[in-house]
Amino acid sequence: MPATRSVRNPRELKLADFLRLEQEVARLKAENKELASSNDWLDEELAMSRNTIVELMDIRGLLDGYRGLDDHSDLTAWRAKAVERVVNAADPKPALQMGDFGHGERALCPLCRGSASSPSVRGFAFPEGLRRHLLGSHTPHQCEVFAAADKSIIRRIRAKVVRMGGA
Ligand SMILES: [Zn+2]
């Protein structure tokens, strides 16, 4: 006759584990919901801050038309028009006047009043350097003001894609 040992019924153990897991899942679900709602709130805050940056800095309305766009082709069309408006609003001066010994002209960014990284040279090579500054191409530092409008369109495009279930 085999020795009987006092062990708990394995079924009871499993049920207890299951209940504990179920509680843990419920807790994680609640936590996740909380994080999602605080993430939504932060996302809204960021969107408002971007609008504020554009409102404060773009006094001439050069970036107008960016609100409400949620389509990639709209983004491309808006970018092209906005870049041309900003370039046309710039005040290019001979490079020498801007501290550069090169040829051609340079201009400050009409949106952020920024210059390329060199401390002694003012503005951006006009017009291509200014264009690159606005679009953030070939440079690690995109114009913060242009980017605020740009990113708010990108956010709406992403939100639309999520709503459509990743389609
Ligand atoms: Zn700028």
Side-chain angles (χ1 to χ4, degrees), residues 43-94:
D43 195 50
E44 282 298 313
E45 287 287 301
L46 183 57
M48 284 196 296
S49 302
R50 284 179 178 145
N51 287 340
T52 306
I53 290 172
V54 175
E55 266 168 39
L56 291 175
M57 299 299 288
D58 181 25
I59 40 177
R60 282 180 277 186
L62 303 172
L63 302 178
D64 280 1
Y66 77 96
R67 283 168 194 256
L69 300 184
D70 62 2
D71 195 272
H72 210 275
S73 59
D74 290 341
L75 169 66
T76 312
W78 171 84
R79 263 185 192 159
K81 276 189 222 150
V83 165
E84 282 325 294
R85 281 196 298 258
V86 176
V87 167
N88 288 332
D91 182 20
K93 296 205 165 83

Side-chain angles (χ1 to χ4, degrees), residues 57 86 108-115 124 130 133-134 141-147:
M57 299 299 288
V86 176
L108 294 175
C109 172
L111 294 171
C112 69
R113 313 302 297 164
S115 298
F124 297 92
L130 178 59
H133 162 68
L134 295 171
H141 304 293
Q142 185 181 16
C143 174
E144 300 278 358
V145 185
F146 196 91

Side-chain angles (χ1 to χ4, degrees), residues 87-108:
V87 167
N88 288 332
D91 182 20
K93 296 205 165 83
L96 263 176
Q97 275 185 41
M98 304 292 274
D100 186 16
F101 294 103
H103 297 286
E105 296 179 308
R106 298 187 73 83
L108 294 175

